[in-house]
Amino acid sequence: MTSPSKAWFSLDDFVVIDTETTGLDTAQHAVVAVAAAPGAGAYIGYINPALYDRPPVWDEQARAINGLSDTFLRAQGGSPVSVLTTLRNIIIGRTIVGHNIAFDMAMLRAAAVRCDFYWWSAVADNPIIDTRWADRLRWPAEEGNRHLAQLVDRWLGGRPDWWRPHDAASDALVTRAVWLAQLAWAAQAREWEPNGMTIGAVCRWLATGAK
């Protein structure tokens, strides 16, 4: 990845990730789908939860939201180590972007522990950006939890026909579209020149929206 202190970054320096899980508790639940969308293209990996060393439980509300059945995951899901290895190879050296990214990162860390695959140190120092940060900077008076649908409406001017909420790949792609719109706004708002809008500068400024 280009050094943030020397040059304008490229879109390939970023990757948007999204997960679907069996629930919200890292102690009981686990990742069953993960999507990674760098500057171009996308990866979607499904995990058969029965292949975890310590299989998780299902929260039925989570199952109803993401629509992932045991039958589908047995047929389409790979091993946690295989899927997480592919994810690691995609995100190494990239800034990680996501919506409510802290949840995804916590679940991915827990998934690594659950299958005794300790790869997390390879990406522990990656810069992280949450799309909600820029939203707070742009619309500080807006109330609510800044759900992804709200950000899609605000930044994209409406919901794309192709977007399927709570589908990991679709959510990653729409979050990438939101992120690109936020980048364009950040460049204009800060009047960054190409040699000044670095990864470090963007991360530091957008992080102020987390407060």
Side-chain angles (χ1 to χ4, degrees):
M1 185 171 66
T2 304
S3 170
S5 64
K6 296 181 179 179
W8 164 258
F9 56 75
S10 73
L11 293 181
D12 197 49
D13 291 327
F14 296 89
V15 59
V16 175
I17 64 172
D18 189 81
T19 62
E20 296 299 332
T21 67
T22 65
L24 304 178
D25 185 346
T26 56
Q28 302 182 68
H29 307 130
V31 173
V32 287
V34 59
Y43 163 76
I44 176 68
Y46 295 102
I47 295 174
N48 181 346
L51 298 181
Y52 278 107
D53 292 344
R54 295 177 290 282
V57 299
W58 269 100
D59 180 303
E60 290 307 315
Q61 184 176 3
R63 192 197 297 271
I65 290 173
N66 61 43
L68 294 172
S69 68
D70 290 329
T71 300
F72 175 84
L73 292 172
R74 281 195 298 268
Q76 301 296 324
S79 72
V81 171
S82 174
V83 172
L84 293 175
T85 297
T86 300
L87 177 67
R88 177 196 62 189
N89 293 340
I90 294 172
I91 67 178
I92 281 180
R94 287 184 163 120
T95 294
I96 299 169
V97 180
H99 182 79
N100 191 20
I101 190 64
F103 170 77
D104 297 290
M105 299 298 278
M107 293 303 297
L108 286 168
R109 281 193 293 268
V113 172
R114 188 176 288 275
C115 63
D116 293 324
F117 180 49
Y118 296 98
W119 60 276
W120 201 255
S121 60
V123 299
D125 294 329
N126 287 44
I128 296 174
I129 293 175
D130 194 314
T131 52
R132 297 180 303 172
W133 299 353
D135 196 68
R136 289 193 184 100
L137 286 173
R138 176 65 179 82
W139 286 285
E142 292 292 333
E143 298 181 355
N145 294 323
R146 300 182 190 272
H147 296 298
L148 182 54
Q150 294 173 314
L151 268 66
V152 169
D153 287 339
R154 283 199 281 267
W155 290 95
L156 303 184
R159 303 178 189 185
D161 293 339
W162 51 262
W163 180 37
R164 291 175 293 152
H166 306 297
D167 173 270
S170 191
D171 281 349
L173 290 173
V174 82
T175 300
R176 183 171 68 188
V178 168
W179 165 237
L180 293 177
Q182 291 179 338
L183 270 182
W185 168 75
Q188 184 178 34
R190 297 290 293 177
E191 297 182 343
W192 269 310
E193 296 295 330
N195 63 352
M197 189 178 176
T198 63
I199 291 171
V202 172
C203 290
R204 286 190 295 272
W205 185 57
L206 293 183
T208 65
K211 298 177 181 178

